[in-house]
Amino acid sequence: MKSLNTIRRRLISLVIFRGLLEDPAVQALRRTLEARCSGTEDDFVEACAAFESVLFDKGCDNWTDYLYEIVMENENVCVRQHDPETFSPLLKAHMEHELQFLNELSRLTLEDFIQGAEYPDPDVYHESWNTSDKDIAADYATRLREVGSKGYGMFARHHMFTVENGRLVPVKHPDPQQLEELPGYEREREKVIANTLALLQGQPANNVLLYGDAGTGKSSCIKAIANAYANQGLRLVEVKKNQLYQIPDLMDELAANPLKFILFIDDLSFTANDDNFAALKAILEGSVGGRAQNIAVYATSNRRHLIKETLTDRTGDDIHESDTRQELMSLSARFGLTITFTSPDRDRYLYIVKELARQYGLEMDERELAVRSEAFAIRMGGRSARVAKQFVELRKAGVQD
C-alpha cells in the first residue's frame, strides 16, 4: 500500500470523482489522514473516532461497502456521458486512474493507520471498521452500461420528485401504490401502460390526459405505473400548476439525462385568462425547441377541455366566437392520448369492492358485502373506486359503516 501521505494527496486531487469530497464520511476520512500525517496523536484519535461515528450514523460499519455505494451513485461527467466509447483519451485515463485509487482507498483499515506509528497508548483506539473485497473499478464499467435504467446521483436513489424553486427535490417516502391494488380500471390503464412502455423503449410517446370523475383512480394509476417501471428507468416529477413557468428550464436539464421522465400534473384546470394556460401549451407542443424524447406530460383533470367555461364564454360579445372556443379547446387537443375514467356502474363497483376486500383480507359474506357497500356508497354521494376503498378499510379496521 502507498504511504498514507500519498493516499491523502491522491484523495484531494480527485478530478472525475471530486464530488465525493463533499460526502461526510469521506470528509471525516480526509481529516483522519491529515491528522495521521501532520497532527498530534490526540488529533488522530479524535479524527479516527469521528470517522467511525459518521459510518455508524449512516447505518454502515463497512467502509468498502459505503464507498462503493457513493461511487456508484456519484454524478460526474463520465456517468452523464455514460458511453465509454465517446470518452476522450484524457477523460478515460482520469477515470481509470481514479477508480483504481478508490479501490485502494476502500480497503483502508485502522491497522493501516496505526502501523509503524509510535503511539504510547494503543488502548484508546476502537475496533477497526470493516472492509470487504468489492472491486469498484470492475463494477463501475457495468454501472455505466446500466445508467439508462438505474440512473445516477439522486436519480439512482429515488424515483419520484417534486419541484421547489425550479429544482428537483426527491420524495423520500413516495406513495407505494401498486397496479394490482387498483381493480376495475384495467382497460383504461392498459393504454397508459402501453404509452409508458413506448417512452421507455425510446419510441414516440404521447402526452396523456386522464380525464373523468373524482375518485376513479386517475392519479393512483400514474403513481402506480411510476412504481412499477422505476427499475426500467422511469422517473416521475410532480409539478404544481403554479410551477409550470419553471418547467422549460427543467426540461432542458432532463433532456440530457439517460432516464425517462413523466411530468405529472394532478387535478389540472384553468380559467380562460390564466397565465399558466399558455405556459402549458408551450410545454406540450408549442415551443421552438420541441419536446425532449425522454419526457412525457401526464395530467389528470375532472374537466375534458381543462378550462372552466361559463355561458358567457359561449354567448359573449367576442366577434370571432368560434375562434374563442377553439382557443379554449386547444390545450386538451395537445394531449395525444386522452383516457376517460368514469364513475363505476353497480357491477364494476361491486367488483372493485370484492377485489379490495380480498386484498385486505376482509372476510365477509358476499351478499352482505354487496348490500353494505352499496348503502355506504349512497351515504357517500355515489359510487367510486375511492368510496369502495374507504368502505373496505373501515370494515377491516372494525369501524361500522
Side-chain angles (χ1 to χ4, degrees):
M1 177 171 290
K2 297 180 176 67
S3 72
L4 293 175
N5 195 46
T6 299
I7 292 174
R8 178 189 65 81
R9 295 168 69 183
R10 287 289 309 283
L11 178 61
I12 63 177
S13 68
L14 288 173
V15 176
I16 305 300
F17 293 93
R18 193 157 192 80
L20 298 179
L21 299 179
E22 303 299 319
D23 181 84
V26 176
Q27 290 178 342
L29 182 71
R30 176 180 174 178
R31 288 191 291 269
T32 305
L33 286 164
E34 290 169 347
R36 174 63 177 82
C37 294
S38 58
T40 66
E41 183 180 6
D42 284 351
D43 293 335
F44 172 66
V45 170
E46 183 177 7
C48 189
F51 168 66
E52 200 153 7
S53 176
V54 171
L55 281 184
F56 287 148
D57 285 343
K58 295 292 185 179
C60 182
D61 64 4
N62 190 301
W63 167 234
T64 308
D65 292 348
Y66 182 87
L67 186 60
Y68 181 94
E69 290 300 322
I70 65 172
V71 169
M72 295 301 161
E73 294 179 358
N74 178 251
E75 182 175 348
N76 58 64
V77 62
C78 290
V79 79
R80 286 194 295 268
Q81 200 165 329
H82 72 263
D83 183 2
E85 296 299 322
T86 65
F87 292 176
S88 70
L90 180 60
L91 180 64
K92 188 174 182 180
H94 263 298
M95 182 189 73
E96 293 174 350
H97 194 53
E98 291 185 9
L99 285 170
Q100 290 298 332
F101 164 69
L102 291 169
N103 251 350
E104 196 172 325
L105 187 70
S106 75
R107 292 174 172 81
L108 206 58
T109 67
L110 177 60
E111 288 75 16
D112 294 321
F113 277 97
I114 62 177
Q115 185 178 12
E118 297 181 0
Y119 292 150
D121 191 4
D123 292 337
V124 303
Y125 299 105
H126 306 283
E127 293 291 328
S128 176
W129 52 87
N130 294 318
T131 58
S132 58
D133 293 329
K134 286 184 176 178
D135 192 333
I136 294 176
D139 290 352
Y140 199 75
T142 302
R143 185 73 185 85
L144 288 177
R145 291 195 298 270
E146 295 176 342
V147 71
S149 60
K150 293 187 177 180
Y152 54 78
M154 65 179 179
F155 300 109
R157 298 186 294 272
H158 306 278
H159 73 282
M160 289 191 183
F161 303 84
T162 57
V163 179
E164 292 183 9
N165 299 319
R167 307 301 300 171
L168 292 184
V169 176
V171 177
K172 295 182 180 179
H173 304 287
D175 188 336
Q177 188 73 69
Q178 300 298 315
L179 288 170
E180 57 270 20
E181 298 171 349
L182 301 171
Y185 290 87
E186 290 83 358
R187 186 176 61 181
E188 289 83 352
R189 287 202 306 274
E190 284 177 2
K191 299 176 183 179
V192 188
I193 291 172
N195 191 74
T196 305
L197 290 174
L199 177 68
L200 289 170
Q201 294 163 6
Q203 300 173 3
N206 285 293
N207 297 315
V208 182
L209 174 62
L210 282 67
Y211 145 77
D213 301 308
T216 50
K218 302 183 294 295
S219 301
S220 295
C221 169
I222 294 175
K223 289 183 283 188
I225 288 174
N227 289 330
Y229 295 98
N231 62 354
Q232 296 185 32
L234 184 65
R235 300 294 182 264
L236 183 142
V237 179
E238 184 173 13
V239 182
K240 306 298 183 185
K241 190 180 75 170
N242 61 1
Q243 297 173 323
L244 290 174
Y245 72 95
Q246 302 174 350
I247 299 307
D249 289 341
L250 182 62
M251 292 179 74
D252 287 343
E253 180 181 331
L254 296 179
N257 196 300
L259 297 171
K260 305 298 189 294
F261 293 88
I262 291 174
L263 298 186
F264 172 42
I265 312 170
D266 196 20
D267 197 18
L268 185 62
S269 65
F270 299 97
T271 58
N273 60 351
D274 195 328
D275 290 340
N276 292 304
F277 176 82
L280 183 56
K281 282 180 64 177
I283 290 169
L284 291 173
E285 207 172 286
S287 67
V288 295
R291 180 167 64 89
Q293 296 302 305
N294 65 330
I295 301 172
V297 177
Y298 285 17
T300 69
S301 180
N302 296 335
R303 295 177 179 271
R304 172 66 179 84
H305 294 300
L306 303 177
I307 306 296
K308 296 178 181 179
E309 293 184 86
T310 66
L311 289 175
T312 304
D313 294 326
R314 292 182 177 270
T315 62
D317 56 2
D318 195 320
I319 295 176
H320 302 288
E321 180 187 341
S322 63
D323 289 351
T324 301
R325 286 201 300 269
Q326 287 293 326
E327 172 69 13
L328 294 177
M329 292 186 293
S330 64
L331 180 59
S332 59
R334 295 184 184 224
F335 288 92
L337 179 61
T338 299
I339 302 168
T340 305
F341 283 65
T342 58
S343 292
D345 58 18
R346 183 178 185 277
D347 288 343
R348 182 186 279 196
Y349 174 72
L350 293 179
Y351 167 74
I352 294 171
V353 170
K354 183 178 178 181
E355 284 298 304
L356 291 175
R358 180 186 60 79
Q359 291 177 16
Y360 278 77
L362 176 62
E363 296 182 1
M364 192 173 178
D365 178 75
E366 189 170 325
R367 180 179 176 81
E368 182 183 4
L369 184 69
V371 171
R372 289 188 176 276
S373 63
E374 275 281 274
F376 183 78
I378 292 172
R379 290 196 295 275
M380 295 298 290
R383 305 184 188 99
S384 73
R386 181 183 297 154
V387 168
K389 185 176 182 180
Q390 290 169 345
F391 167 77
V392 171
E393 289 180 337
L394 285 171
R395 295 294 302 188
K396 182 63 178 178
V399 180
Q400 296 300 313
D401 53 276

